[in-house]
Amino acid sequence: MKYPDKAQFEKANVFGKGNPNTAYAQYFKGNSFLNLLLKPGEPFVVANVTFEPSCRNNWHVHHATNGGGQILICTCGEGWYVEEGKEPVSLHEGSVVFIKPEVKHWHGAKKDSYFSHVAVEVPGENTSNEWLEAVSDGDYAKLP
């Protein structure tokens, strides 16, 4: 379901939007928010990430020599998941995406909807994230 209205979205966003995502703001186009669902120091990261309409993160890769990757569990609103060289995937409440390590991709909100997903960093060996170039406004505008 699309949520162009902030108040309606916030009522439906079961994990809450959290705080402004200042730590990673340089890797996002637009405003995003982060709500950690596990305490720091747990063996992996689980967080609810909220995107305002048109907000998206930069292209990036989750590296790992064994295991690793990321799982997105879409909880509210509508968004996009795009792997390099593949067709965009429309996301909505209930969509689940497993992002294998070493896959260049990005994700974010549709132009006309707030969007939240729970991001789960899959444990692995020698894991890291590599942030790359921003998704161009021209490429984003081509999405339906």
Side-chain angles (χ1 to χ4, degrees):
M1 177 175 185
K2 288 187 180 176
Y3 285 96
D5 179 76
K6 181 179 179 179
Q8 288 179 336
F9 173 80
E10 288 182 354
K11 285 181 187 176
N13 189 5
V14 296
F15 291 109
K17 77 176 188 179
N19 297 311
N21 188 7
T22 55
Y24 295 94
Q26 64 184 329
Y27 306 118
F28 283 72
K29 171 88 177 202
N31 295 319
S32 66
F33 302 85
L34 188 63
N35 187 15
L36 293 177
L37 301 179
L38 291 180
K39 295 177 186 173
E42 295 291 339
F44 53 95
V45 175
V46 177
N48 191 53
V49 183
T50 296
F51 302 78
E52 290 186 347
S54 296
C55 177
R56 67 265 188 191
N57 53 31
N58 287 8
W59 288 98
H60 60 286
V61 177
H62 302 280
H63 294 294
T65 56
N66 188 35
Q70 186 179 50
I71 299 168
L72 305 179
I73 303 167
C74 305
T75 58
C76 195
E78 293 190 7
W80 292 109
Y81 169 73
V82 181
E83 280 187 20
E84 185 177 49
K86 294 190 177 179
E87 290 296 313
V89 176
S90 179
L91 302 176
H92 53 82
E93 292 105 341
S95 297
V96 178
V97 177
F98 172 59
I99 305 163
K100 295 179 182 179
E102 310 308 325
V103 172
K104 185 177 178 181
H105 67 282
W106 67 268
H107 33 101
K110 290 190 175 177
K111 298 171 195 144
D112 55 355
S113 183
Y114 285 82
F115 176 62
S116 281
H117 63 56
V118 171
V120 180
E121 296 296 328
V122 178
E125 296 174 11
N126 302 309
T127 59
S128 65
N129 290 342
E130 180 182 4
W131 291 99
L132 304 167
E133 71 275 10
V135 176
S136 75
D137 289 339
D139 286 344
Y140 184 80
K142 292 177 189 174
L143 296 168

